[in-house]
Amino acid sequence: MAKIEDIEEGIRKYFEEVIPKTDDESWQQWVDFRSRTHSDLIELLKQDVRNSVKWRAIFLLLVPELDWSLFYWPANTISEGWSGHLSNFINDLPFDLAKYTARWINEFCRSLQLEHCETPKETIMGMSGFQILMRDPDKYHGALVFYNACILRLLAILPVDSEEAARLFMNFSLRDISVFASQDDSSGYNPFMNLMFDSRVDKKWKLAADAKMREIVLAEKRGKIKPRAKWETAGWWYANLIQSAAAYFSSFHYDDPYDIDVIIGQIKFVLDNGLTNLGHWNKAEYILSVLYSGGAHNWRNRLGRVEAEHKELFRRFSRAIVLDQPFSINDYHKQSAA
């Protein structure tokens, strides 16, 4: 495991070997030419300049602490919010720079994950006539959220058999970096959902993420682990994924999020492990549509020859919706599924 002091020393040794000192003067002149922001660093990556200059720009886009950098950069311009849109710069990187970016994200993730506290500190702020619960995220929350977004983009660019991609996937968090809840949104397995629905991500990583998620679901069911918060129950999130994916499969307006054999496997996993009571199956008719006809994009190829296994899954899932869940004739979705 990399400690903070270890990575600082590693940064110094690495750049002393690969970054030419001859660039220092021209770099400082460029930085001081006018007030610079992260947007300037991103724009620099599109210019016809040496890779050694682009290495500096990428490093400054990624480094969580300016003190860790050997490169000149005004302290007051480093982003505090680590806005997710900054990860867009990765989309246009050539392979060699994407590989370089992956190296530092992996290094920073390993170090910061050791320091990060997933549960924010809570304070109560008194207002006139009422009180507000405030959650103060950990110091490295924003950086780790940013890295998670970058990893998703890099997995879509790097070769699936590359060592860099494998390390990135190991550092990718299926669960939100920190616990949060509001009227509009809450923490949980949003990154897992994003990966599964990203059409650019290879099936290899979707299957690997799905396998990890299944382990978490079963571990929670067996009482080996507990969710960080009641709204982060893995079984509920897994049910939500399957239903959301099935809705895509059943619509002509959306592309299938992943291969149909993957969602068939997910449905079978739920049934084989008695998980139909862990989620709110309020879109079950979409799942049954996939099992019956293969979804909107596959029905022509499968009409009249639905596999026997899928027919059996259709029967089992229909039965589970009626018997394993509180069934109400007034619930349109359950009525439709039944």
Side-chain angles (χ1 to χ4, degrees), residues 1-260:
M1 294 292 186
K3 298 179 180 179
I4 295 296
E5 55 268 24
D6 294 336
I7 197 169
E8 290 186 69
E9 178 63 16
I11 290 169
R12 184 186 64 78
K13 289 182 178 179
Y14 177 81
F15 284 122
E16 283 180 351
E17 294 177 4
V18 302
I19 297 288
K21 289 289 186 180
T22 52
D23 287 339
D24 287 354
E25 184 177 351
S26 58
W27 173 262
Q28 183 165 346
Q29 289 175 351
W30 177 81
V31 173
D32 287 339
F33 182 73
R34 61 182 175 85
S35 179
R36 299 292 185 183
T37 67
H38 273 129
S39 297
D40 293 295
L41 294 172
I42 293 173
E43 190 61 32
L44 185 61
L45 296 175
K46 303 174 184 177
Q47 305 304 313
D48 185 18
V49 296
R50 294 186 298 277
N51 269 359
S52 59
V53 174
K54 293 182 178 182
W55 292 342
R56 296 175 183 237
I58 290 173
F59 186 81
L60 284 166
L61 284 168
L62 299 176
V63 67
E65 298 276 6
L66 191 57
D67 291 344
W68 297 5
S69 176
L70 303 182
F71 311 128
Y72 174 71
W73 190 258
N76 62 349
T77 61
I78 285 291
S79 171
E80 294 293 334
W82 293 93
S83 301
H85 71 273
L86 286 177
S87 63
N88 290 340
F89 82 89
I90 291 172
N91 295 342
D92 300 319
L93 292 180
F95 171 73
D96 57 338
L97 292 180
K99 183 177 178 180
Y100 170 84
T101 302
R103 173 204 168 94
W104 287 114
I105 289 177
N106 280 323
E107 293 296 333
F108 293 149
C109 279
R110 284 200 309 154
S111 298
L112 300 194
Q113 285 166 357
L114 294 175
E115 304 287 327
H116 178 64
C117 177
E118 296 179 324
T119 305
K121 296 178 181 178
E122 295 184 348
T123 56
I124 297 178
M125 180 179 293
M127 306 291 286
S128 178
F130 61 93
Q131 294 179 325
I132 299 177
L133 177 65
M134 305 291 291
R135 289 187 173 91
D136 185 19
D138 189 71
K139 177 181 180 181
Y140 293 121
H141 166 84
L144 288 169
V145 170
F146 173 62
Y147 298 149
N148 227 35
C150 288
I151 289 173
L152 197 56
R153 294 182 183 277
L154 285 166
L155 287 177
I157 295 174
L158 294 170
V160 295
D161 58 349
S162 67
E163 180 183 348
E164 291 79 16
R167 288 186 63 200
L168 284 170
F169 181 77
M170 289 178 61
N171 284 317
F172 182 73
S173 176
L174 300 183
R175 187 171 59 182
D176 286 307
I177 299 300
S178 303
V179 177
F180 66 87
S182 68
Q183 290 182 335
D184 302 318
D185 200 7
S186 62
S187 58
Y189 290 87
N190 290 297
F192 169 64
M193 300 279 286
N194 293 338
L195 183 148
M196 295 300 291
F197 276 89
D198 194 327
S199 60
R200 300 166 300 178
V201 175
D202 191 85
K203 182 179 178 179
K204 172 182 177 178
W205 304 122
K206 295 189 178 187
L207 289 175
D210 188 66
K212 288 176 67 174
M213 189 66 181
R214 292 185 188 190
E215 291 178 2
I216 298 169
V217 170
L218 290 179
E220 283 190 8
K221 183 191 178 189
R222 294 164 182 167
K224 294 182 178 179
I225 60 173
K226 293 182 178 180
R228 296 182 303 187
K230 61 182 180 181
W231 56 84
E232 289 193 354
T233 302
W236 182 90
W237 281 90
Y238 199 67
N240 188 36
L241 167 74
I242 297 173
Q243 292 183 106
S244 299
Y248 272 57
F249 275 105
S250 302
S251 172
F252 287 105
H253 301 292
Y254 301 103
D255 293 332
D256 294 348
Y258 41 82
D259 291 349
I260 194 166

